[in-house]
Amino acid sequence: MSRLVILVEGDSELSFMQRQIIPALYSRCVGNWSIEPCKIISNVKLHKKGGNISYDYLFNDVSRFSAQKCTVITTFLDFFRLPSNFPGFTSNGCVVDVVEEEMKSDLEARISNLPLFIPYIQKYEFEALLFSNMDGFNYLLDDDEQLSLIKNIIDEFPTPEDINGGQATAPSKRLLSIFNYNKVADSADMLEIIGLDAIYSRCPRFSKWFDKLADIVAQSDRLTAF
């Protein structure tokens, strides 16, 4: 059996993987695949998962899954508030690709049995996906003024992934300035209402990552090509 592990930060990302990403990947599978989302272990002694991560936590989990002979390991992390100890760290979201490549290079250099590793950092934040269209907000809110403010944000940027990630302007911060946004309670249902097709069509970095995984599980005999 081939095994794909997706390392995420918290419960909201885990739910998104379980409810939408993994079913979509299974629909494209060729051969026998196990696809597992896992929260990063942030306290080994307590076996606590999720919450604030550091590169050390990620490195430990990648090492652990490498030892378990996984076929593919990927990440789904936020660029906003990415810890400064990540290889290639920068506060410039326009070069997030560089951080991904530096992270991959570091892991390849330090983990001798590293399987195929697909780095992915969401620009700028998980909540960017919620801005793929108005459907999730129309489902959650009934205040016309709030909805108008959100529509203005969507219209202001070329893609949801361009909504910038400053301390006051990250996608989640913008939502909190408009309504009482609760990441865990709100995001899963909103993303399901929005639908993966809409997210895919509006978020180019996300769609590129998803395509890589979909191609891998559909062509398991060509893993070395990726």
Side-chain angles (χ1 to χ4, degrees):
M1 175 181 288
S2 300
R3 185 184 184 194
L4 164 61
V5 169
I6 307 173
L7 294 173
V8 303
E9 295 184 60
D11 289 329
S12 298
E13 294 87 350
L14 187 71
S15 176
F16 180 50
M17 297 299 127
Q18 292 171 330
R19 294 171 67 168
Q20 296 199 61
I21 299 300
I22 289 177
L25 289 175
Y26 271 129
S27 72
R28 292 159 170 78
C29 279
V30 173
N32 193 11
W33 278 89
S34 169
I35 306 175
E36 308 164 32
C38 298
K39 288 193 293 184
I40 295 166
I41 295 177
S42 52
N43 188 315
V44 175
K45 290 183 179 179
L46 299 178
H47 203 67
K48 180 181 177 182
K49 299 181 179 181
N52 295 327
I53 68 162
S54 75
Y55 185 65
D56 293 335
Y57 299 153
L58 175 65
F59 180 87
N60 289 340
D61 269 12
V62 172
S63 298
R64 180 167 60 89
F65 284 112
S66 296
Q68 296 174 13
K69 302 187 184 303
C70 287
T71 310
V72 186
I73 300 174
T74 190
T75 59
F76 188 91
L77 310 173
D78 283 349
F79 180 78
F80 179 54
R81 289 183 176 170
L82 192 73
S84 60
N85 65 343
F86 266 66
F89 174 80
T90 176
S91 59
N92 182 0
C94 294
V95 292
V96 64
D97 292 358
V98 173
V99 184
E100 291 175 340
E101 290 306 312
E102 290 291 331
M103 175 171 60
K104 181 178 180 181
S105 294
D106 181 72
L107 293 172
E108 287 175 340
R110 297 170 61 194
I111 302 175
S112 60
N113 56 347
L114 183 73
L116 180 61
F117 181 75
I118 308 294
Y120 180 68
I121 300 172
Q122 178 63 47
K123 180 187 173 186
Y124 283 85
E125 194 177 20
F126 170 74
E127 277 80 3
L129 306 179
L130 300 176
F131 290 89
S132 296
N133 62 32
M134 286 296 297
D135 292 354
F137 297 110
N138 289 332
Y139 163 81
L140 187 67
L141 305 172
D142 56 10
D143 185 293
D144 289 341
E145 183 177 353
Q146 291 175 334
L147 290 170
S148 178
L149 289 171
I150 292 166
K151 181 65 163 56
N152 289 341
I153 295 171
I154 292 176
D155 291 344
E156 181 182 352
F157 294 92
T159 79
E161 293 174 331
D162 293 306
I163 300 173
N164 81 36
Q167 288 296 322
T169 55
S172 64
K173 299 299 184 182
R174 291 171 183 263
L175 295 181
L176 285 167
S177 72
I178 296 171
F179 68 97
N180 187 26
Y181 169 68
N182 183 301
K183 180 173 183 175
V184 175
D186 297 334
S187 63
D189 288 341
M190 291 177 68
L191 288 169
E192 198 151 331
I193 294 293
I194 293 167
L196 188 57
D197 287 346
I199 297 167
Y200 180 94
S201 67
R202 292 279 290 131
C203 301
R205 293 195 81 260
F206 169 86
S207 63
K208 183 178 179 181
W209 169 73
F210 179 85
D211 282 345
K212 286 181 181 178
L213 300 184
D215 286 346
I216 287 168
V217 300
Q219 303 178 45
S220 58
D221 60 335
R222 293 180 57 210
L223 288 179
T224 56
F226 294 88

